[in-house]
PDB file of all heavy atoms in Angstrom:
ATOM      1  N   ASP A  33     -11.300  -2.251   9.426  1.00  0.00           N
ATOM      2  CA  ASP A  33     -11.184  -1.774   8.047  1.00  0.00           C
ATOM      3  C   ASP A  33     -10.831  -2.869   7.045  1.00  0.00           C
ATOM      4  O   ASP A  33     -10.591  -2.582   5.874  1.00  0.00           O
ATOM      5  CB  ASP A  33     -10.090  -0.703   7.943  1.00  0.00           C
ATOM      6  CG  ASP A  33     -10.480   0.583   8.651  1.00  0.00           C
ATOM      7  OD1 ASP A  33     -11.682   0.835   8.802  1.00  0.00           O
ATOM      8  OD2 ASP A  33      -9.566   1.332   9.043  1.00  0.00           O
ATOM      9  N   ALA A  34     -10.749  -4.116   7.487  1.00  0.00           N
ATOM     10  CA  ALA A  34     -10.278  -5.172   6.582  1.00  0.00           C
ATOM     11  C   ALA A  34     -11.174  -5.299   5.354  1.00  0.00           C
ATOM     12  O   ALA A  34     -12.401  -5.314   5.454  1.00  0.00           O
ATOM     13  CB  ALA A  34     -10.199  -6.502   7.321  1.00  0.00           C
ATOM     14  N   GLN A  35     -10.541  -5.412   4.206  1.00  0.00           N
ATOM     15  CA  GLN A  35     -11.301  -5.652   2.980  1.00  0.00           C
ATOM     16  C   GLN A  35     -11.690  -7.124   2.923  1.00  0.00           C
ATOM     17  O   GLN A  35     -10.964  -7.986   3.401  1.00  0.00           O
ATOM     18  CB  GLN A  35     -10.441  -5.346   1.752  1.00  0.00           C
ATOM     19  CG  GLN A  35      -9.931  -3.923   1.709  1.00  0.00           C
ATOM     20  CD  GLN A  35      -9.045  -3.732   0.495  1.00  0.00           C
ATOM     21  OE1 GLN A  35      -9.531  -3.583  -0.622  1.00  0.00           O
ATOM     22  NE2 GLN A  35      -7.751  -3.745   0.692  1.00  0.00           N
ATOM     23  N   THR A  36     -12.818  -7.379   2.305  1.00  0.00           N
ATOM     24  CA  THR A  36     -13.282  -8.769   2.193  1.00  0.00           C
ATOM     25  C   THR A  36     -12.436  -9.525   1.164  1.00  0.00           C
ATOM     26  O   THR A  36     -11.783  -8.929   0.306  1.00  0.00           O
ATOM     27  CB  THR A  36     -14.745  -8.811   1.718  1.00  0.00           C
ATOM     28  OG1 THR A  36     -14.798  -8.221   0.413  1.00  0.00           O
ATOM     29  CG2 THR A  36     -15.667  -8.055   2.658  1.00  0.00           C
ATOM     30  N   ARG A  37     -12.517 -10.847   1.266  1.00  0.00           N
ATOM     31  CA  ARG A  37     -11.829 -11.704   0.299  1.00  0.00           C
ATOM     32  C   ARG A  37     -12.260 -11.370  -1.127  1.00  0.00           C
ATOM     33  O   ARG A  37     -11.455 -11.286  -2.045  1.00  0.00           O
ATOM     34  CB  ARG A  37     -12.171 -13.163   0.629  1.00  0.00           C
ATOM     35  CG  ARG A  37     -11.539 -14.155  -0.303  1.00  0.00           C
ATOM     36  CD  ARG A  37     -11.966 -15.576   0.008  1.00  0.00           C
ATOM     37  NE  ARG A  37     -11.182 -16.483  -0.797  1.00  0.00           N
ATOM     38  CZ  ARG A  37      -9.985 -16.917  -0.455  1.00  0.00           C
ATOM     39  NH1 ARG A  37      -9.461 -16.586   0.703  1.00  0.00           N
ATOM     40  NH2 ARG A  37      -9.310 -17.705  -1.263  1.00  0.00           N
ATOM     41  N   ARG A  38     -13.562 -11.162  -1.244  1.00  0.00           N
ATOM     42  CA  ARG A  38     -14.121 -10.861  -2.561  1.00  0.00           C
ATOM     43  C   ARG A  38     -13.528  -9.581  -3.147  1.00  0.00           C
ATOM     44  O   ARG A  38     -13.129  -9.535  -4.309  1.00  0.00           O
ATOM     45  CB  ARG A  38     -15.642 -10.727  -2.384  1.00  0.00           C
ATOM     46  CG  ARG A  38     -16.420 -10.489  -3.635  1.00  0.00           C
ATOM     47  CD  ARG A  38     -17.869 -10.200  -3.219  1.00  0.00           C
ATOM     48  NE  ARG A  38     -18.606  -9.624  -4.323  1.00  0.00           N
ATOM     49  CZ  ARG A  38     -19.254 -10.348  -5.215  1.00  0.00           C
ATOM     50  NH1 ARG A  38     -19.290 -11.648  -5.107  1.00  0.00           N
ATOM     51  NH2 ARG A  38     -19.891  -9.746  -6.204  1.00  0.00           N
ATOM     52  N   SER A  39     -13.429  -8.543  -2.328  1.00  0.00           N
ATOM     53  CA  SER A  39     -12.910  -7.304  -2.895  1.00  0.00           C
ATOM     54  C   SER A  39     -11.399  -7.396  -3.098  1.00  0.00           C
ATOM     55  O   SER A  39     -10.858  -6.827  -4.051  1.00  0.00           O
ATOM     56  CB  SER A  39     -13.326  -6.081  -2.080  1.00  0.00           C
ATOM     57  OG  SER A  39     -12.755  -6.115  -0.826  1.00  0.00           O
ATOM     58  N   LEU A  40     -10.711  -8.171  -2.252  1.00  0.00           N
ATOM     59  CA  LEU A  40      -9.269  -8.354  -2.483  1.00  0.00           C
ATOM     60  C   LEU A  40      -9.035  -9.146  -3.772  1.00  0.00           C
ATOM     61  O   LEU A  40      -8.125  -8.830  -4.543  1.00  0.00           O
ATOM     62  CB  LEU A  40      -8.625  -9.075  -1.291  1.00  0.00           C
ATOM     63  CG  LEU A  40      -8.440  -8.184  -0.048  1.00  0.00           C
ATOM     64  CD1 LEU A  40      -8.142  -9.033   1.178  1.00  0.00           C
ATOM     65  CD2 LEU A  40      -7.329  -7.160  -0.267  1.00  0.00           C
ATOM     66  N   ARG A  41      -9.862 -10.161  -4.006  1.00  0.00           N
ATOM     67  CA  ARG A  41      -9.696 -10.946  -5.230  1.00  0.00           C
ATOM     68  C   ARG A  41      -9.893 -10.056  -6.455  1.00  0.00           C
ATOM     69  O   ARG A  41      -9.155 -10.121  -7.430  1.00  0.00           O
ATOM     70  CB  ARG A  41     -10.681 -12.114  -5.267  1.00  0.00           C
ATOM     71  CG  ARG A  41     -10.378 -13.040  -6.445  1.00  0.00           C
ATOM     72  CD  ARG A  41     -11.520 -13.947  -6.829  1.00  0.00           C
ATOM     73  NE  ARG A  41     -11.879 -14.863  -5.781  1.00  0.00           N
ATOM     74  CZ  ARG A  41     -13.064 -14.883  -5.191  1.00  0.00           C
ATOM     75  NH1 ARG A  41     -14.011 -14.037  -5.565  1.00  0.00           N
ATOM     76  NH2 ARG A  41     -13.311 -15.750  -4.252  1.00  0.00           N
ATOM     77  N   TYR A  42     -10.893  -9.191  -6.365  1.00  0.00           N
ATOM     78  CA  TYR A  42     -11.160  -8.272  -7.466  1.00  0.00           C
ATOM     79  C   TYR A  42      -9.969  -7.327  -7.678  1.00  0.00           C
ATOM     80  O   TYR A  42      -9.506  -7.122  -8.805  1.00  0.00           O
ATOM     81  CB  TYR A  42     -12.441  -7.494  -7.165  1.00  0.00           C
ATOM     82  CG  TYR A  42     -12.753  -6.427  -8.174  1.00  0.00           C
ATOM     83  CD1 TYR A  42     -12.976  -6.754  -9.511  1.00  0.00           C
ATOM     84  CD2 TYR A  42     -12.816  -5.095  -7.800  1.00  0.00           C
ATOM     85  CE1 TYR A  42     -13.247  -5.770 -10.447  1.00  0.00           C
ATOM     86  CE2 TYR A  42     -13.101  -4.107  -8.724  1.00  0.00           C
ATOM     87  CZ  TYR A  42     -13.308  -4.440 -10.045  1.00  0.00           C
ATOM     88  OH  TYR A  42     -13.570  -3.469 -10.962  1.00  0.00           O
ATOM     89  N   LEU A  43      -9.444  -6.795  -6.562  1.00  0.00           N
ATOM     90  CA  LEU A  43      -8.305  -5.876  -6.663  1.00  0.00           C
ATOM     91  C   LEU A  43      -7.104  -6.541  -7.334  1.00  0.00           C
ATOM     92  O   LEU A  43      -6.409  -5.938  -8.143  1.00  0.00           O
ATOM     93  CB  LEU A  43      -7.851  -5.447  -5.271  1.00  0.00           C
ATOM     94  CG  LEU A  43      -8.368  -4.161  -4.673  1.00  0.00           C
ATOM     95  CD1 LEU A  43      -7.643  -3.911  -3.370  1.00  0.00           C
ATOM     96  CD2 LEU A  43      -8.176  -2.986  -5.623  1.00  0.00           C
ATOM     97  N   LEU A  44      -6.872  -7.803  -6.998  1.00  0.00           N
ATOM     98  CA  LEU A  44      -5.710  -8.519  -7.528  1.00  0.00           C
ATOM     99  C   LEU A  44      -5.809  -8.762  -9.026  1.00  0.00           C
ATOM    100  O   LEU A  44      -4.795  -8.997  -9.683  1.00  0.00           O
ATOM    101  CB  LEU A  44      -5.549  -9.865  -6.811  1.00  0.00           C
ATOM    102  CG  LEU A  44      -4.498  -9.934  -5.705  1.00  0.00           C
ATOM    103  CD1 LEU A  44      -4.647  -8.838  -4.689  1.00  0.00           C
ATOM    104  CD2 LEU A  44      -4.544 -11.294  -5.022  1.00  0.00           C
ATOM    105  N   THR A  45      -7.035  -8.735  -9.541  1.00  0.00           N
ATOM    106  CA  THR A  45      -7.184  -9.060 -10.957  1.00  0.00           C
ATOM    107  C   THR A  45      -7.539  -7.841 -11.800  1.00  0.00           C
ATOM    108  O   THR A  45      -7.563  -7.928 -13.020  1.00  0.00           O
ATOM    109  CB  THR A  45      -8.294 -10.113 -11.156  1.00  0.00           C
ATOM    110  OG1 THR A  45      -9.475  -9.633 -10.522  1.00  0.00           O
ATOM    111  CG2 THR A  45      -7.914 -11.436 -10.531  1.00  0.00           C
ATOM    112  N   ARG A  46      -7.829  -6.739 -11.135  1.00  0.00           N
ATOM    113  CA  ARG A  46      -8.199  -5.527 -11.876  1.00  0.00           C
ATOM    114  C   ARG A  46      -7.080  -5.037 -12.763  1.00  0.00           C
ATOM    115  O   ARG A  46      -5.926  -4.981 -12.326  1.00  0.00           O
ATOM    116  CB  ARG A  46      -8.416  -4.403 -10.864  1.00  0.00           C
ATOM    117  CG  ARG A  46      -9.782  -4.128 -10.499  1.00  0.00           C
ATOM    118  CD  ARG A  46      -9.769  -3.136  -9.377  1.00  0.00           C
ATOM    119  NE  ARG A  46      -9.680  -1.779  -9.907  1.00  0.00           N
ATOM    120  CZ  ARG A  46     -10.233  -0.738  -9.299  1.00  0.00           C
ATOM    121  NH1 ARG A  46     -10.882  -0.888  -8.168  1.00  0.00           N
ATOM    122  NH2 ARG A  46     -10.133   0.450  -9.809  1.00  0.00           N
ATOM    123  N   ALA A  47      -7.420  -4.583 -13.930  1.00  0.00           N
ATOM    124  CA  ALA A  47      -6.396  -4.115 -14.860  1.00  0.00           C
ATOM    125  C   ALA A  47      -5.767  -2.808 -14.393  1.00  0.00           C
ATOM    126  O   ALA A  47      -4.601  -2.553 -14.659  1.00  0.00           O
ATOM    127  CB  ALA A  47      -7.009  -3.931 -16.234  1.00  0.00           C
ATOM    128  N   ASN A  48      -6.538  -2.004 -13.684  1.00  0.00           N
ATOM    129  CA  ASN A  48      -6.006  -0.681 -13.330  1.00  0.00           C
ATOM    130  C   ASN A  48      -5.507  -0.608 -11.894  1.00  0.00           C
ATOM    131  O   ASN A  48      -5.470   0.448 -11.285  1.00  0.00           O
ATOM    132  CB  ASN A  48      -7.051   0.392 -13.590  1.00  0.00           C
ATOM    133  CG  ASN A  48      -8.330   0.117 -12.814  1.00  0.00           C
ATOM    134  OD1 ASN A  48      -8.476  -0.951 -12.220  1.00  0.00           O
ATOM    135  ND2 ASN A  48      -9.230   1.068 -12.791  1.00  0.00           N
TER     136      ASN A  48
END
Side-chain angles (χ1 to χ4, degrees):
D33 291 335
Q35 301 178 78
T36 62
R37 179 183 188 85
R38 183 187 165 89
S39 65
L40 285 165
R41 188 199 297 118
Y42 175 61
L43 265 186
L44 260 52
T45 53
R46 261 173 85 148
N48 58 351

